[in-house]
Amino acid sequence: QVQLVESGGGLVQAGGSLRLSCAASGRTHSSYFMNWFRQAPGKQREFVAAISTGGGNTYYADFVKGRFTISLDSGKNTVYLQMNSLKPEDTAVYYCAYQVRIGAAFDYWGQGTQVTVSS
């Protein structure tokens, strides 16, 4: 059983920055993947970024590469998504998801946090 608590969403102007947090608690594995997804109104959910807590490898969707950075605070079991140079099209509900390994199911999801970017 893993619980994910997200925070950090809000309203920001285009070109601004936000940092999202996802804190994991409960019976986590010694290593796992934490993913960020987002879903905008009327659009399908899409992958944003992921990080391996074991090796620190990171993965990014092409549309955020160079603007977003995913990172890990191992001591707090917390994953961050630093979002810079935000665009209106980044507006969405952002979710974190727990995955024990590549190819595994996304076993746990956060509640989502709203990010709104104004033009």
Side-chain angles (χ1 to χ4, degrees):
Q1 182 72 25
V2 176
Q3 296 81 44
L4 305 177
V5 179
E6 300 164 332
S7 62
L11 174 64
V12 66
Q13 292 187 60
S17 299
L18 287 172
R19 189 180 72 162
L20 307 183
S21 300
C22 179
S25 62
R27 293 178 59 83
T28 58
H29 297 80
S30 58
S31 63
Y32 55 92
F33 288 84
M34 191 68 78
N35 303 259
W36 286 99
F37 290 83
R38 70 186 188 186
Q39 187 166 24
K43 299 180 64 177
Q44 295 191 22
R45 185 175 59 197
E46 59 186 354
F47 171 80
V48 177
I51 189 167
S52 166
T53 64
N57 297 321
T58 59
Y59 309 85
Y60 296 97
D62 287 341
F63 58 83
V64 302
K65 197 170 298 182
R67 298 190 297 124
F68 293 7
T69 303
I70 189 169
S71 61
L72 172 71
D73 184 336
S74 296
K76 297 182 178 180
N77 224 11
T78 299
V79 173
Y80 302 96
L81 184 67
Q82 178 67 46
M83 305 185 295
N84 299 325
S85 301
L86 283 163
K87 306 173 181 179
E89 52 262 43
D90 294 319
T91 296
V93 177
Y94 284 71
Y95 301 90
C96 60
Y98 177 100
Q99 184 183 32
V100 64
R101 63 179 62 87
I102 290 178
F106 298 102
D107 295 314
Y108 305 99
W109 293 81
Q111 78 285 358
T113 185
Q114 176 71 48
V115 172
T116 302
V117 185
S118 62
S119 59

